[in-house]
Amino acid sequence: MGLLSDPVRRRALARLVLRLNAPLWALPVAWLERTMRSVGLEVYTQSFSRKLPFPDETHERYMVSGTNVYGILRAPRAASTESLVLTVPCGSDSTNSQAVGLLLALAAHFRGQIYWAKDIIFLVTEYDLLGTEAWLEAYHDVNVTGMQSSPLQGRAGAIQAAVALELSSDMVTSLDVAVEGLNGQLPNLDLLNLFQTFCQKGGLLCTLQGKLQPQDWTSLDGPLQGLQMLLLMVLRQASGRPHGSHGLFLRYRVEALTLRGINSFRQYKYDLVAVGKALEGMFRKLNHLLERLHQSFFLYLLPALSRFVSIGLYMPAAGFLLLVLGLKALELWMQLHEAGVGLEEPRGSPGPSAQGVGLASLVAPLLISQAMGLALYVLPVLGQHVAAQHFPVAEAEAVVLTLLAIYAAGLALPHNTHRVVSTQAPDRGWMALKLVALIYLALQLGCIALTNFSLGFLLAATMVPTAALAKPHGSRTLYAALLVLTSPAATLFGSLFLWRELQEAPLSLAEGWQLFLAALAQGVLEHHTYGALLFPLLSLGLYPCWLLFWNVLFWK
Amino acid sequence: MAAAMPLALFVLQLLGPGGWCLAEPQRDSLREELVITPLPSGDVAATFQFRTRWDSELQREGVSHYRLFPKALGQLISKYSLRELHLSFTQGFWRTRYWGPPFLQAPSGAELWVWFQDTVTNVDKSWKELSNVLSGIFCASLNFIDSTNTVTPTASFKPLGLANDTDHYFLRYAVLPREVVCTENLTPWKKLLPCSSKAGLSVLLKADRLFHTSYHSQAVHIRPVCRNARCTSISWELRQTLSVVFDAFITGQGKKDWSLFRMFSRTLTEPCPLASESRVYVDITNYNQDNETLEVNPPPTTTYQDVILGTRKTYAIYDLLDTATINNSRNLNIQLKWKRPAENGYIHYQPAQDRLQPHLLEMLIQLPANSVTKVSIQFERALLKWTEYTPDPNHGFYVSPSVLSALVPSMVAAKPVDWEESPLFNSLFPVSDGSNYFVRLYTEPLLVNLPTPDFSMPYNVICLTCTVVAVCYGSFYNLLTRTFHIEEPRTGGLAKRLANLIRRIRGVPLL
């Protein structure tokens, strides 16, 4: 096995060589402090450090220690009870330095104005989201992810709203807005409306999901484009990742969004003045707020910037999907009841004993599938060093491969459990198991849909039909293929393809596989660094539940 | 001097049998004291001393009445013509670096050194016999003292008591480093005490606690002392001492707070009735180490200051013979608490009553230099009553600023000024003296978001319900309660009558 046979490794090595030749980029803390102070802000720094559970190969990070710099513009005649945040996350290279420049320019301009009623915090974070997480935890004096950071010296009351800015070049052709936050949280729709208003006012081109807005809603084209964007948003929200550093603010009930300058529509060109004007307008509007943004929707889906689908419209869809599970469970319950009565009468034996056997036979598969889920959750990160010692893989690869191995090992389960299980009535066993599994799935999907509709709907749409159909009769291979295709991992795999297809950048199978592995690693990593819940949800909740259906299918 | 002795003895013998009942001044006395010293390391040292003094000449034969002085030792003195006897049993080692200098020094193991009277002819023989007898008295292996481990120091180990000459020929010194000290040595030592372990300070001498310490040393010292200031005659003094060091980590579970009960699993309940003085001293010297101060409870009645071992120390005194000390609570359990000044001082907390009064938390804090003090308050968010929400509940609710008042030491000593004459800006806050000035700071108010119900929802519900009630209920009620009558249209127009007339004629149904 050659070292460079793997394309990922080859790329990583190439990047490493490049990085070694280039001077290592670090946040110029002293310069930032000096500049912010010269502009007239109260400047503070915060140092933080974090050891990731395993090396992050996408961002090339493992042991991270950085410094956040923030300056506070104190509002005149206000007691620092409320504040607004303009944040620029800086990554491991200087790609976002344009945004830092704009931030400093805005700070200098804002400092000269007298109308501020809320303090404004200008925050530059190192290691983008990690720095933001450290700063937010220190600001709210909590520690939820094991980040080590120095306490903040300067505070400015309750943060009312935050805007994150990412510009990759000084020429911006359009401003893209990202709303999807950690665990699918969304900011209040009014913040988005505010942004859109100022885009229109300033004549800026605004995009959502990196796509131009559909103009013509009367023909078929517009709604189709809208559907495409809606699906993109559903996929992004379902991933539960913070799509931009605004996503971490949402956890603290701070309405926030990320503005990303993109440079892909050549016919429109703006310089940073236009962007700055839009931002100034937004901040002045937010400055006038008497209450937190709360009037508009918190739960919505966006087919376009100016249109939304409210929760009242989309929630029934998920409800009807889950109703299928409920009805199927009811049917099984009736069948079980009839079977119990039918058994009882000819034999004359009391019913409870037969029922007791049926319940006892459920304990083993339930326990084993839950244990598999627990192993899936715990073992990859716990056993990465052991795996890396015994196999020629890096730690991050070890985590992903262990994940896949445990996941696949779960499929071998029914052959183990059916010997444990023994019932007089063969049908009763799988029916009872399926009944439990159906209720379990319905409960889980219901809870997920309430908190993160997109994820709940995506999972329900894929899992519900096969879950309702699964039974140990008929063509098992067909059912098994269906079940495998709708398992959580396959859903993730399929979602990646759909995602790239919708972005009009289709994937080949090999690329898709690489992306899938990277997504797995990212999912685990984001759970540990930011507290994203997708990984524990899938490994501890849905995967064991799915195993139960697999168990039903291969019941003997 | 020699002539006076028989006379005194004679008087004693005369008065002896019947004279005790008279108001004859007691010729022996017992003083007991316990010194508790919190050590810099967080451990606590306790030193007991029981001093029995007997104004009697023991060397003479015929002294047979012993009151407080233990007879076993008294006979030993007279039989072996001892001038001084120092015996110590020690388990452990006094860690001077962490514990500071000790009151009573002793080597690890058993140590015995004796000055004999110059009347003793065969010192070595007496020494051998004496060690064997002591071995029996204290259940120790002192009988292993022989010529191989006995020395006669010439410079060190001078007599501690009254001595006319110091001929080193009469001194014997021996150490048994391997001697293990345990309960069997403690029990005979306790039996020498007049109150044994029944009352007084010796109640605290509970073997299982004393040997659960990191240092244990018990000793017996006998020496002649001057009976009065002019030293015309001698008295015999017996000091029984016991020092223990309680380990903060083993006995105190890592805490630095102590009490008599936690140390000895006993409290003091009554003084020894035979003792003429019975006191507990607690070292409350403010070392200012780690900015901690010591607090004792119950508060002492008196304190005692002196220079001990080169440092000025303050001791809190609890006199057991003072009836107020024990009678108040039936027992005395002295508690030592270490307090950081940050937590020290005055804390006044007045909890809130919902809708009546707010919380009030006042703290007197002494801040160490260059330090950050964090005061955090946990609170729970609760729903208000629906009428209590402000018109803009999503703005949040204000928590009023905290107040910080301080007397800051001034860098420059200000001269006392005439209060009336000084400028007005300088004389609002009263200044006690020139070395301090008064500062009051306010923190920023805090905006707290309480859970806010969506007020549009009740509004919608009310509107909807009112509409439903108005439209449906109203019309249904109307329909149900109204009685309907079919009323014949009696009156018609003239044309109608005419038409009906014609119809009747034609035989067609009427209109």
Side-chain angles (χ1 to χ4, degrees):
Chain A
M1 189 167 170
L3 180 67
L4 296 178
S5 61
D6 183 8
V8 175
R9 281 190 190 168
R10 203 174 325 129
R11 225 174 302 140
L13 188 71
R15 260 180 299 189
L16 186 68
V17 170
L18 266 180
R19 285 280 300 280
L20 286 176
N21 288 335
L24 275 175
W25 191 87
L27 198 67
V29 175
W31 180 83
L32 267 176
E33 268 188 277
R34 210 167 48 239
T35 316
M36 281 189 180
R37 202 163 279 134
S38 71
V39 160
L41 305 181
E42 277 184 40
V43 188
Y44 304 95
T45 58
Q46 181 213 16
S47 55
F48 63 93
S49 66
R50 176 85 164 93
K51 187 178 172 224
L52 303 183
F54 57 88
D56 181 356
E57 296 209 329
T58 324
H59 298 98
E60 296 169 25
R61 289 171 186 169
Y62 185 37
M63 312 246 266
V64 168
S65 77
T67 312
N68 295 329
V69 185
Y70 64 105
I72 304 177
L73 193 165
R74 296 289 182 192
R77 299 177 303 282
S80 295
T81 50
E82 297 167 276
S83 57
L84 306 170
V85 173
L86 176 62
T87 174
V88 171
C90 289
S92 49
D93 44 13
S94 55
T95 48
N96 211 8
S97 45
Q98 298 298 331
V100 177
L102 183 57
L103 174 133
L104 290 172
L106 279 175
H109 174 65
F110 285 3
R111 185 68 183 85
Q113 311 307 318
I114 54 158
Y115 42 67
W116 298 115
K118 297 176 170 57
D119 289 2
I120 302 177
I121 303 175
F122 296 92
L123 169 68
V124 180
T125 60
E126 202 171 355
Y127 294 103
D128 40 51
L129 295 196
L130 282 173
T132 313
E133 177 70 32
W135 188 83
L136 277 171
E137 285 187 12
Y139 194 89
H140 295 97
D141 202 10
V142 291
N143 195 345
V144 285
T145 59
M147 180 81 71
Q148 281 129 29
S149 62
S150 59
L152 295 190
Q153 297 298 321
R155 297 180 81 260
I159 304 174
Q160 303 290 309
V163 176
L165 194 61
E166 293 177 21
L167 303 174
S168 47
S169 68
D170 52 351
M171 196 54 74
V172 174
T173 61
S174 72
L175 269 184
D176 191 54
V177 61
V179 285
E180 302 88 355
L182 188 69
N183 297 325
Q185 275 185 295
L186 298 172
N188 195 280
L189 194 57
D190 270 344
L191 192 63
L192 193 75
N193 293 340
L194 187 69
F195 166 71
Q196 209 226 339
T197 312
F198 275 97
C199 276
Q200 283 176 349
K201 200 174 173 184
L204 271 172
L205 182 68
C206 295
T207 54
L208 188 66
Q209 319 290 358
K211 288 185 177 299
L212 286 172
Q213 298 299 300
Q215 300 296 326
D216 182 21
W217 288 91
T218 49
S219 70
L220 191 65
D221 228 24
L224 270 181
Q225 276 184 358
L227 181 69
Q228 200 181 358
M229 283 215 251
L230 190 73
L231 277 175
L232 274 169
M233 172 157 181
V234 165
L235 287 175
R236 271 168 75 153
Q237 197 189 3
S239 74
R241 305 181 57 177
H243 287 270
S245 62
H246 75 283
L248 300 173
F249 281 86
L250 294 173
R251 179 193 279 162
Y252 301 93
R253 203 182 182 278
V254 176
E255 309 310 325
L257 44 75
T258 292
L259 302 184
R260 219 169 255 136
I262 54 174
N263 198 357
S264 51
F265 305 100
R266 291 289 168 194
Q267 61 273 37
Y268 310 91
K269 276 188 183 166
Y270 308 97
D271 56 1
L272 290 179
V273 175
V275 182
K277 276 183 179 168
L279 278 170
E280 188 201 358
M282 284 181 72
F283 270 86
R284 285 188 70 170
K285 280 280 182 194
L286 290 171
N287 179 49
H288 295 156
L289 278 182
L290 286 181
E291 307 187 4
R292 274 168 195 263
L293 291 170
H294 71 102
Q295 293 287 1
S296 192
F297 286 84
F298 285 97
L299 304 161
Y300 51 86
L301 292 175
L302 293 171
L305 262 179
S306 50
R307 284 162 192 260
F308 71 98
V309 184
S310 88
I311 179 170
L313 284 171
Y314 63 64
M315 210 57 193
F320 282 123
L321 269 175
L322 298 185
L323 193 65
V324 174
L325 295 179
L327 289 177
K328 191 74 190 169
L330 199 65
E331 184 204 352
L332 278 174
W333 173 255
M334 304 292 277
Q335 281 179 3
L336 270 175
H337 192 66
E338 281 166 19
V341 171
L343 272 176
E344 194 184 338
E345 280 178 347
R347 272 206 223 149
S349 63
S353 71
Q355 217 162 26
V357 171
L359 285 181
S361 68
L362 296 185
V363 173
L366 276 175
L367 276 184
I368 290 174
S369 61
Q370 280 299 330
M372 281 308 287
L374 197 64
L376 190 66
Y377 177 65
V378 175
L379 284 186
V381 175
L382 209 63
Q384 51 169 324
H385 299 297
V386 181
Q389 274 171 10
H390 290 87
F391 301 98
V393 287
E395 273 119 335
E397 281 177 315
V399 169
V400 173
L401 294 179
T402 321
L403 261 181
L404 288 175
I406 296 174
Y407 195 92
L411 303 188
L413 264 182
H415 310 289
N416 297 333
T417 53
H418 71 88
R419 290 196 197 91
V420 182
V421 175
S422 66
T423 45
Q424 299 94 325
D427 268 359
R428 280 180 63 87
W430 72 262
M431 279 182 174
L433 183 61
K434 191 177 168 185
L435 177 63
V436 170
L438 281 174
I439 294 172
Y440 189 28
L441 184 65
L443 270 178
Q444 282 191 32
L445 289 178
C447 294
I448 295 170
L450 281 180
T451 53
N452 185 350
F453 168 77
S454 300
L455 181 62
F457 183 78
L458 212 62
L459 288 169
T462 50
M463 287 182 82
V464 165
T466 40
L469 287 176
K471 60 180 176 188
H473 307 300
S475 60
R476 278 193 186 177
T477 43
L478 179 66
Y479 281 141
L482 269 178
L483 209 54
V484 167
L485 279 180
T486 57
S487 82
T491 309
L492 174 61
F493 195 59
S495 300
L496 286 173
F497 277 91
L498 180 62
W499 160 256
R500 293 299 286 266
E501 194 63 44
L502 288 169
Q503 282 203 322
E504 289 151 16
L507 280 172
S508 71
L509 202 62
E511 277 174 340
W513 179 249
Q514 291 296 335
L515 203 62
F516 175 65
L517 296 184
L520 285 181
Q522 283 298 305
V524 179
L525 211 56
E526 271 163 16
H527 169 57
H528 286 281
T529 46
Y530 310 128
L533 289 176
L534 185 66
F535 172 56
L537 209 65
L538 290 185
S539 59
L540 292 175
L542 283 162
Y543 173 66
C545 188
W546 181 85
L547 276 184
L548 290 180
F549 288 106
W550 186 257
N551 219 329
V552 167
L553 190 63
F554 289 98
W555 192 274
K556 282 183 187 169
Chain B
M1 180 89 182
M5 283 298 157
L7 186 68
L9 205 69
F10 177 69
V11 171
L12 181 72
Q13 278 173 340
L14 266 183
L15 293 175
W20 290 114
C21 308
L22 300 174
E24 177 76 12
Q26 302 286 359
R27 303 193 55 187
D28 47 3
S29 63
L30 170 71
R31 288 172 60 190
E32 55 178 11
E33 69 177 44
L34 163 64
V35 183
I36 298 174
T37 317
L39 299 172
S41 63
D43 304 334
V44 168
T47 308
F48 292 86
Q49 286 209 35
F50 302 89
R51 176 187 185 246
T52 311
R53 177 180 153 150
W54 195 5
D55 299 341
S56 147
E57 189 54 72
L58 275 171
Q59 302 298 350
R60 294 280 171 181
E61 291 292 331
V63 176
S64 60
H65 189 87
Y66 291 84
R67 200 177 82 101
L68 299 180
F69 205 92
K71 191 176 179 181
L73 294 183
Q75 285 176 339
L76 212 62
I77 295 168
S78 51
K79 185 172 180 191
Y80 295 105
S81 302
L82 302 180
R83 192 199 289 163
E84 277 192 23
L85 182 145
H86 302 277
L87 171 65
S88 71
F89 298 100
T90 306
Q91 189 82 37
F93 181 73
W94 185 275
R95 319 255 160 211
T96 314
R97 178 180 292 185
Y98 304 105
W99 296 343
F103 288 119
L104 306 155
Q105 304 84 350
S108 190
E111 180 200 43
L112 176 66
W113 56 287
V114 175
W115 278 89
F116 291 95
Q117 299 277 5
D118 47 9
T119 52
V120 178
T121 47
N122 192 344
V123 177
D124 288 327
K125 181 168 169 288
S126 294
W127 169 248
K128 181 75 189 161
E129 284 180 22
L130 176 71
S131 58
N132 278 293
V133 171
L134 286 173
S135 170
I137 292 177
F138 290 103
C139 294
S141 318
L142 296 175
N143 51 325
F144 287 105
I145 292 176
D146 53 15
S147 59
T148 58
N149 48 21
T150 302
V151 289
T152 306
T154 54
S156 189
F157 295 100
K158 298 288 180 202
L160 297 180
L162 196 61
N164 294 336
D165 55 344
T166 51
D167 185 354
H168 292 284
Y169 178 71
F170 299 103
L171 170 65
R172 289 294 180 275
Y173 176 88
V175 173
L176 296 174
R178 275 195 62 189
E179 182 67 16
V180 178
V181 187
C182 199
T183 323
E184 77 239 24
N185 308 112
L186 182 69
T187 312
W189 184 90
K190 278 202 291 192
K191 279 184 181 165
L192 300 177
L193 296 171
C195 280
S196 185
S197 54
K198 302 288 189 293
L201 295 178
S202 48
V203 170
L204 302 177
L205 300 173
K206 199 157 173 282
D208 62 337
R209 305 300 291 189
L210 293 185
F211 290 104
H212 206 251
T213 53
S214 44
Y215 177 79
H216 173 102
S217 172
Q218 62 182 69
V220 173
H221 302 277
I222 300 172
R223 59 175 181 177
V225 290
C226 291
R227 188 172 301 182
N228 48 29
R230 285 179 293 128
C231 219
T232 49
S233 55
I234 61 163
S235 301
W236 283 92
E237 184 200 65
L238 164 68
R239 276 187 196 234
Q240 288 179 256
T241 66
L242 188 139
S243 317
V244 282
V245 174
F246 290 93
D247 191 325
F249 284 93
I250 296 169
T251 321
Q253 287 103 40
K255 289 177 189 165
K256 289 176 85 180
D257 298 346
W258 294 92
S259 68
L260 278 189
F261 190 82
R262 277 183 63 187
M263 286 190 275
F264 301 103
S265 77
R266 288 279 184 281
T267 54
L268 292 170
T269 49
E270 53 175 340
C272 176
L274 300 173
S276 58
E277 188 185 299
S278 180
R279 283 180 175 173
V280 180
Y281 293 83
V282 183
D283 187 350
I284 53 168
T285 315
N286 191 2
Y287 294 105
N288 253 337
Q289 278 166 348
D290 306 331
N291 299 305
E292 283 180 326
T293 53
L294 187 70
E295 188 190 73
V296 283
N297 191 29
T301 48
T302 49
T303 55
Y304 169 74
Q305 278 200 337
D306 202 354
V307 177
I308 312 283
L309 298 168
T311 47
R312 179 164 292 281
K313 301 216 172 188
T314 313
Y315 292 94
I317 301 177
Y318 297 89
D319 194 344
L320 296 189
L321 294 178
D322 183 4
T323 48
T325 311
I326 285 181
N327 279 11
N328 285 346
S329 58
R330 289 276 174 188
N331 62 18
L332 179 65
N333 182 21
I334 300 168
Q335 292 172 331
L336 290 82
K337 280 182 187 160
W338 284 102
K339 285 206 160 178
R340 291 187 168 275
E343 302 158 5
N344 190 8
Y346 177 73
I347 291 185
H348 174 227
Y349 177 62
Q350 189 182 11
Q353 283 175 290
D354 277 351
R355 294 162 186 98
L356 285 179
Q357 66 176 32
H359 290 273
L360 172 67
L361 176 64
E362 276 185 292
M363 288 192 283
L364 192 63
I365 305 172
Q366 194 175 358
L367 297 180
N370 291 325
S371 64
V372 175
T373 301
K374 192 166 155 185
V375 179
S376 59
I377 299 165
Q378 283 194 334
F379 66 94
E380 285 177 8
R381 290 163 198 260
L383 278 173
L384 298 178
K385 285 182 182 170
W386 72 284
T387 49
E388 288 168 345
Y389 282 96
T390 51
D392 51 352
N394 277 287
H395 180 69
F397 291 82
Y398 283 93
V399 177
S400 46
S402 314
V403 188
L404 193 73
S405 310
L407 269 180
V408 181
S410 177
M411 300 295 277
V412 196
K415 60 181 187 300
V417 287
D418 186 8
W419 197 68
E420 279 295 328
E421 293 300 312
S422 60
L424 292 178
F425 66 81
N426 203 12
S427 54
L428 177 58
F429 291 110
V431 178
S432 56
D433 56 345
S435 60
N436 291 328
Y437 61 96
F438 182 80
V439 167
R440 178 168 290 156
L441 302 171
Y442 294 91
T443 65
E444 61 212 33
L446 187 66
L447 192 59
V448 177
N449 257 73
L450 292 182
T452 314
D454 185 359
F455 283 105
S456 65
M457 194 193 72
Y459 176 75
N460 290 344
V461 169
I462 290 168
C463 283
L464 191 70
T465 335
C466 288
T467 314
V468 167
V469 167
V471 174
C472 300
Y473 178 78
S475 50
F476 268 98
Y477 186 78
N478 201 356
L479 282 173
L480 291 172
T481 52
R482 184 166 292 185
T483 48
F484 293 93
H485 300 283
I486 299 167
E487 208 168 292
E488 288 297 322
R490 280 168 296 173
T491 54
L494 184 68
K496 199 176 173 184
R497 282 189 190 171
L498 275 174
N500 279 343
L501 196 69
I502 295 164
R503 280 180 172 238
R504 198 170 291 154
I505 293 164
R506 285 175 56 201
V508 194
L510 301 180
L511 276 175

